[in-house]
């Protein structure tokens, strides 16, 4: 098995670049935030162990052993068949002893769907801030609410450092089924393959396509049938339901009503969303309640932000994949060409393939 790339604590935390950046940034709040990012990443790096060592340890449970073996099969498939990076990422394991690796905090104005963005030296500008401790995320969210913002906190099982470090299989990833674990590996490795600063929709749609196409090939290689079409349909219907609400809210917020009238109409839109969801769930999904927790929790603008980012350009990438007759190497070359275009030209090129 071939390994490439960094080693020993990823070349001493990439020469402590993130920590240096933190000290160069002005403002105590900003420095404090970067300090927790640096500490969290450092702890994660120190927690890693080679999967081979974990498997060889007699104290490793049979359940963990089985999950890691499955993950390593998916990891090998990712490089050999999907032509994703062949490095040490996801050939290491880290027990976080918590349900999520980070908690992301999303925020918008009360009467707007425009996200509060945050810019980082490596990842560019994104519509959230990540925290390694749930308490810190909740504290940041509380401060934003005091400013009158709509806020949503979401736990994340995995993330990519875009090849800067050897990303491990995380204990937070193992709560999913075997197939979902494989798709997470495909998705996160895709971010290492191609990433464009300041274009979340492009990055996530690309990784989602690689995840979906990779999963089809993964299932075929294992002699399994296609993924359950009912579950895929439910996900698409749920996403369309939320996106339709977001479009109506966008029209509402750009209209001429008073702020008080917009607040009242905003509340009505979220109640309408819940009502339509319940009708869909009970009439077409036979009472499947997998989305109940999300729907019946507090709803606000910020909670709608992630929708569409992961799916917007997936059909365009699927069309591009067909153009190269399913050749992964050529596909990535074409995607890299798109990535080098200015933002408007890139969007236009994707739009033509929808």
């Amino acid at each position: 098995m071939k390994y490439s790339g960094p080693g020993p604590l990823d070349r001493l935390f990439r020469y402590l670049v993130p920590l240096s950046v933190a000290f160069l940034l002005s403002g105590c709040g900003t420095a404090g935030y970067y300090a927790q990012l640096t500490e969290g990443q450092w702890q994660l790096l120190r927690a890693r162990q080679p999967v081979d060592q974990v498997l060889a340890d007699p104290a490793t449970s049979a359940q963990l052993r089985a999950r890691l073996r499955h993950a390593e099969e998916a990891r090998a498939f990712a490089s050999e068949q999907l032509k994703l990076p062949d490095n040490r990422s996801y050939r290491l394991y880290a027990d976080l002893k918590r349900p999520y690796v980070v908690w992301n905090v999303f925020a918008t104005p009360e009467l707007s769907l425009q996200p509060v963005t945050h810019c980082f030296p490596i990842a560019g500008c994104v519509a959230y801030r990540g925290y390694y401790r749930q308490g810190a995320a909740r504290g940041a969210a509380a401060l934003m609410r005091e400013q009158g913002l709509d806020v949503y906190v979401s736990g994340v099982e995995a993330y990519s450092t875009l090849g800067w470090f050897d990303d491990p299989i995380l204990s937070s990833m193992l709560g999913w089924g075997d197939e979902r674990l494989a798709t997470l590996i495909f998705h996160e490795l895709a971010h290492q393959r191609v990433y464009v600063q300041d274009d979340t929709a492009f990055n996530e749609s690309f990784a989602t396509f690689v995840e979906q196409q990779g999963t089809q090939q993964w299932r075929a290689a294992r002699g399994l049938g296609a993924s359950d079409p009912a579950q895929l349909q439910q996900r698409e219907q749920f996403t369309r339901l939320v996106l339709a609400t977001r479009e109506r809210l966008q029209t509402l917020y750009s209209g001429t009503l008073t702020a008080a009238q917009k607040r009242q109409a905003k509340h009505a839109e979220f109640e309408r969303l819940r009502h339509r969801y319940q009708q869909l769930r009970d009439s077409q999904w036979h009472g499947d309640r997998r989305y109940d927790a999300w729907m019946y929790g507090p709803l606000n603008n910020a909670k709608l932000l992630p929708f569409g980012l992961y799916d917007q350009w997936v059909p365009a990438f699927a069309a591009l994949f067909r153009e190269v007759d399913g050749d992964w190497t050529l596909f990535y070359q074409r995607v890299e060409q798109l990535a080098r275009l200015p933002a408007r030209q890139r969007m236009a090129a994707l739009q033509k393939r929808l």
Side-chain angles (χ1 to χ4, degrees), residues 51 71 79 90 109 118 129 150 163 191 275 310 341 353:
V51 167
S79 292
Y90 308 109
H118 309 276
R129 266 191 168 191
D150 277 13
H191 284 311
H275 178 67
Y310 284 69
L341 293 175
R353 292 182 167 89

Side-chain angles (χ1 to χ4, degrees), residues 33 104-120 124-131 140-141 143-152 198 200 300-306 309:
Y33 174 72
N104 284 342
V105 181
F106 299 86
T108 70
E110 180 190 12
L111 298 175
S112 171
L113 290 166
Q114 187 66 33
V116 176
T117 58
H118 309 276
C119 298
F120 302 94
C125 297
V126 294
Y128 56 84
R129 266 191 168 191
Y131 294 83
L143 291 175
M144 291 179 182
R145 290 191 186 97
E146 288 181 359
Q147 298 170 24
L149 298 173
D150 277 13
V151 183
Y152 175 56
D198 306 332
T200 301
N300 60 30
N301 298 329
K303 198 169 184 177
L304 307 185
L305 285 180
L309 292 177

Side-chain angles (χ1 to χ4, degrees), residues 193-197 199 202-203 330-347 349:
R193 190 65 179 77
V194 180
Y195 186 87
V196 181
Q197 280 198 352
D199 197 338
F202 179 92
N203 296 326
L330 288 177
F331 172 71
Y332 295 134
Q333 289 175 0
R334 295 286 186 87
V335 173
E336 288 169 347
Q337 291 172 4
L338 289 174
R340 289 192 288 269
L341 293 175
R344 288 187 178 181
Q345 293 182 29
R346 183 165 60 245
M347 184 179 297

